Amino acid sequence: MRLLLTGTSGWLGRFLAPRLRAGGHMVIGLDVAPGAETRIIGSVADRAVVERAFAEHAVEAVIHAGALHKPDIVRYPTQAFIDVNVTGTLNLLRAAAEAGHDRFVFTSTTSVMITDAIRAETGDAAAWLDESTGPLAPRNIYGVTKLAAEGLCRIYARDHGLACIVLRTARFFPEEDDTVRDLTGENMKANEFLNRRLTVEDAAEAHVMALGRAPAIGSGTYVISAPTPFSPSDARALRADAAAVVARYFPDAPELYTARGWRLPARIGRVYDGRLAERDLGFRARTDFACVLEAMRSGAPLPFAHDPSYGSAPWPSDRAIKTR
């Protein structure tokens, strides 16, 4: 299949493009920045760029992974998020429908489920987040525009018969968190495999599975995260003393963490539940918290990427698409 993959110079695209080729697909990469996997330099916000890509490369399906992201809020105006995340998605959906495509995969984010109250962790129990979570009230322009793009996907599935799969991916970025500084980057990432992270390799695999299952499903939205060891019955205890809950599931975790000078989470305010993706897409992340502990026991490299110096390629000032 000839696939148009947006965001190929970003973190996900670098892993997803080779995985798609290994599956027998021809990948036409589109990104605002040059990269090893990018054939077309341009913005999805530019309808002419999208139409030219379809016309010149006989595109048969789309995986739309390019976007402006949360860290870009301090660098780019609100209008840029609307142009890229909303109008750019519409341009791709329109072209796919006109070409008679039978599948479209959209990379969304778990951020669309995070309200101000969930972010502040004001409740007495961890929030259990899955596809039924709502009402949705994203707390910033990134989440707002991604949720709007999800809505466009649903409209095109309903009105044009274009099978659209929306993947709300958990965290998989390699750089430091831009809001939390009280833990080392590797320690924080390891902790997040309990409730809100996956590897970039697993994120790529989820897209491959979604591409294959889209025609049979028709339209669907899925949380994509490493499987959590917890159950909803743990929600109150996770909010009160998460370290004790972790030790109950993994008795040697405190000792392994102490040996490395790390800290287990004192509280966990949210848990992502990806079981629907396992049922419908056949996707289950290979790397989970148990894998992290096994690497610590054996002395093997940690099974996730951590790169404090990572940064997306700089943008040309007159273009409006960002990739991760």
Side-chain angles (χ1 to χ4, degrees):
M1 186 176 294
R2 297 175 65 84
L3 298 173
L4 180 65
L5 173 61
T6 70
T8 40
S9 295
W11 182 242
L12 175 60
R14 299 175 197 180
F15 290 82
L16 181 51
R19 175 63 185 84
L20 289 166
R21 285 199 303 273
H25 300 291
M26 178 177 290
V27 180
I28 300 101
L30 188 157
D31 201 300
V32 72
E37 303 293 348
T38 300
R39 293 176 60 181
I40 303 169
I41 305 297
S43 171
V44 293
D46 186 338
R47 186 173 178 181
V49 168
V50 172
E51 291 178 343
R52 188 162 57 250
F54 273 69
E56 294 180 358
H57 297 277
V59 173
E60 297 175 289
V62 175
I63 298 180
H64 181 27
L68 272 167
H69 288 262
K70 188 259 183 183
D72 301 313
I73 292 174
V74 298
R75 298 191 286 269
Y76 296 93
T78 296
Q79 187 63 51
F81 280 81
I82 296 170
D83 293 342
V84 175
N85 294 355
V86 182
T87 303
T89 303
L90 177 60
N91 288 339
L92 290 163
L93 286 165
R94 181 187 291 118
E98 291 175 353
H101 288 185
D102 68 347
R103 68 198 73 192
F104 187 103
V105 179
F106 174 63
T107 311
S108 189
T109 170
T110 51
S111 290
V112 302
M113 302 186 294
I114 309 305
T115 63
D116 285 332
I118 291 174
R119 177 71 175 82
E121 299 184 357
T122 55
D124 59 0
W128 199 265
L129 304 177
D130 61 15
E131 296 78 7
S132 68
T133 297
L136 301 180
R139 68 188 188 281
N140 55 41
I141 190 61
Y142 169 52
V144 166
T145 53
K146 291 299 253 185
L147 184 58
E150 287 188 9
L152 290 172
C153 289
R154 283 188 285 275
I155 287 173
Y156 268 76
R158 182 194 67 197
D159 295 349
H160 301 276
L162 176 60
C164 292
I165 302 298
V166 172
L167 302 181
R168 291 179 178 167
T169 59
R171 294 177 162 205
F172 55 82
F173 56 77
E175 66 266 41
E176 300 281 4
D177 185 274
D178 62 350
T179 58
V180 178
R181 301 297 182 193
D182 63 338
L183 290 178
T184 62
E186 287 184 328
N187 186 169
M188 183 171 179
K189 287 182 173 64
N191 288 356
E192 288 176 338
F193 276 92
L194 289 161
N195 65 312
R196 59 180 301 198
R197 179 169 282 274
L198 75 164
T199 65
V200 67
E201 294 88 351
D202 280 332
E205 189 63 26
H207 285 73
V208 174
M209 299 297 290
L211 183 72
R213 297 290 181 94
I217 293 171
S219 177
T221 298
Y222 299 95
V223 172
I224 304 297
S225 189
T228 179
F230 309 129
S231 70
S233 63
D234 295 316
R236 287 186 179 276
L238 287 170
R239 187 69 181 87
D241 187 351
V245 180
V246 174
R248 174 157 50 86
Y249 282 93
F250 305 99
D252 65 341
E255 181 180 355
L256 290 168
Y257 263 58
T258 297
R260 195 175 280 254
W262 285 4
R263 284 183 288 150
L264 288 167
R267 294 182 304 278
I268 288 178
R270 72 187 84 158
V271 177
Y272 298 151
D273 184 346
R275 288 178 294 176
L276 187 63
E278 185 172 352
R279 188 195 75 184
D280 288 4
L281 303 180
F283 168 76
R284 181 180 174 88
R286 293 184 178 182
T287 301
D288 58 11
F289 187 70
C291 296
V292 175
L293 293 183
E294 181 54 37
M296 294 169 71
R297 292 187 196 101
S298 66
L302 293 169
F304 58 84
H306 174 65
D307 181 2
S309 66
Y310 175 79
S312 300
W315 293 10
S317 59
D318 62 339
R319 289 179 180 158
I321 184 172
K322 183 68 169 178
T323 60
R324 297 288 289 178

